[in-house]
Amino acid sequence: MVQNEEMSQLKQQALVDINEAHDAQALQNVKVKYLGKKGSVSGLMKHMKDLSNEEKPAYGQQVNALRQAIQDEIVSREEVLANEQLEAQLRDEKIDVTLPSRQIALGAKHPLTRTIEEIEDLFLGLGYEIVEGYEVEQDHYNFEALNLPKSHPARDMQDSFYITEETLMRTHTSPVQARTLEQRNGQGPVKIICPGKVYRRDSDDATHSHQFTQIEGLVVAEDIKMSDLKGTLELLARELFGADREIRLRPSYFPFTEPSVEVDVSCFKCKGKGCNVCKQTGWIEVLGSGMVHPNVLEMAGFDSQRYSGFAFGLGPDRIAMLKYGIEDIRHFYTSDVRFLEQFKAVEDRGEEEC
Ligand code: FA5
């Protein structure tokens, strides 16, 4: 029978086409070619009109069986292709876990942050609280509450950026001590350190910046003496610059402390003999300090007969410059990655080797 002949040829051709389809799209095209509405299998139905009524059901069944057989072949070919694709993917995406990993560029702490954290850690260990203040500060707290009334000539010691007549960029971290004392309602003890940014109209050079950092320290309690200040600063100097450091106090002047002292630390490089770091003096000036002026205590509501205290203010920029041998303060603020990357190496080696 002609129809049977055609059907078996069609089936054979379909099997060949299915096996030659090497991806999903090609297989889909084969499917449309044979099983689509206008496909070859549907085309076989055109012979129906030439058949007798008795022959028609059997022929219809044969066409359906052919359709099913091609459909089954396509499904199994689909599975084969899917497996092949998965295997190729597994092969292509294979990871060699023995290869060395790519270098991840890790950041390092900014030298100022490291210095500030080192100082914070020491004082936290001594039971101090860390208090932060406002960078935009009222004239009252920056100066007046620190015994520097409007006309006081010592205001010239700190050239300021004023925002209005009564507000300015704080010139030091001392306003935080004035604010904290005021908040404590005349009740000691107070033991705080106050790190933060400060601003002055200083012209920028290798050792001066118009923006720099300070850490303020303040202790107010009954019976605080100058020896407490000296012991505390000795500890600080040894923590920062080595266990065999000595400090010396030189008379100085700050309106908010009386007496006031500048504190020098024996040179960590030449051990006091004289070198380029200490400018041949054997000593390095590191901070200003003194006993809190009774006026400051009284203005904040503390009884200066009952309470006494000490305060100090240091510049982490200068400390970090000394510690790491940095010759220009402006390196801290220009965000040059080549400069900052050097501190990654310091971090890897550990603090003691700096
Ligand atoms: C003060 O600012 C006082 N408030 C410190 C103080 C606090 C004294 C409490 C007594 C009691 P002075 O102006 O000296 O003091 O500044 C303190 C430190 O800030 C200096 O030792 C120095 O390290 C740093 N410093 C001052 N000006 C600059 C600047 N332009 N650039 C970088 N660091 C500076």
Side-chain angles (χ1 to χ4, degrees), residues 153-164:
R155 283 194 177 211
D156 292 347
M157 289 162 75
Q158 301 185 1
D159 267 353
S160 322
F161 293 113
Y162 273 88
I163 291 168
T164 67

Side-chain angles (χ1 to χ4, degrees), residues 172 174 200 202 209 212 214 216 254 288-289 312-313 318 329:
H172 51 174
S174 302
R200 288 191 197 173
D202 286 346
S209 168
F212 56 102
Q214 278 195 344
E216 191 82 4
F254 296 103
S289 65
F312 59 87
R318 299 233 169 118
I329 194 171

